[in-house]
Amino acid sequence: MKRFGGSIGILQGARVLFSDFVDGGPMWTGQGDRESRFLVSFREPFQAPPAVIVGLSLLDIDHKANFRADLSAETVTATGFHIVFRTWGDSRIARIRADWTAIGPLRDEDEWDVP
């Protein structure tokens, strides 16, 4: 976790969401609505749910079908979030990697818990 001013933290990471062309998974062979959901757990918790940004960093698709995609961060808490990728129709997606950045409040290192 990178700390800024002691009270703001930034975490970054990357996740291969799937490689469905390898094993004939549903993003490569399926039709219609499909979804992949992955839990990201922060190494160190934030004090409150952070702002999370996700983006595609690797995209491998079939050129014979339309590319339809929805990538989002859902269920964001102080300890983690879900990366969710959705597609629909005849889209054939071989592989996706998503990068993410979380920015949020941290407990000040000078704060004490006094009972």
Side-chain angles (χ1 to χ4, degrees):
M1 172 96 57
K2 291 185 181 181
R3 288 183 173 265
F4 293 91
S7 61
I8 299 294
I10 298 177
L11 280 174
Q12 295 178 298
R15 165 75 191 212
V16 173
L17 303 182
F18 54 83
S19 293
D20 280 7
F21 73 98
V22 172
D23 59 5
M27 293 295 182
W28 185 244
T29 61
Q31 293 276 326
D33 295 347
R34 289 159 280 157
E35 176 183 287
S36 289
R37 179 177 296 265
F38 301 92
L39 175 63
V40 173
S41 296
F42 300 135
R43 292 185 308 264
E44 179 181 337
F46 288 88
Q47 189 172 13
V52 177
I53 304 161
V54 292
L56 292 175
S57 56
L58 178 134
L59 174 62
D60 186 2
I61 61 173
D62 184 350
H63 73 282
K64 298 175 192 161
N66 289 321
F67 174 57
R68 300 170 186 91
D70 176 17
L71 179 67
S72 61
E74 293 184 1
T75 321
V76 179
T77 69
T79 59
F81 69 99
H82 287 100
I83 297 176
V84 182
F85 178 83
R86 295 180 180 96
T87 192
W88 56 95
D90 64 346
S91 295
R92 287 174 37 102
I93 299 144
R95 180 175 32 201
I96 294 281
R97 183 177 63 231
D99 287 356
W100 59 268
T101 302
I103 304 170
L106 297 176
R107 182 181 172 100
D108 192 314
E109 293 174 328
D110 293 332
E111 283 183 42
W112 292 30
D113 281 332
V114 180

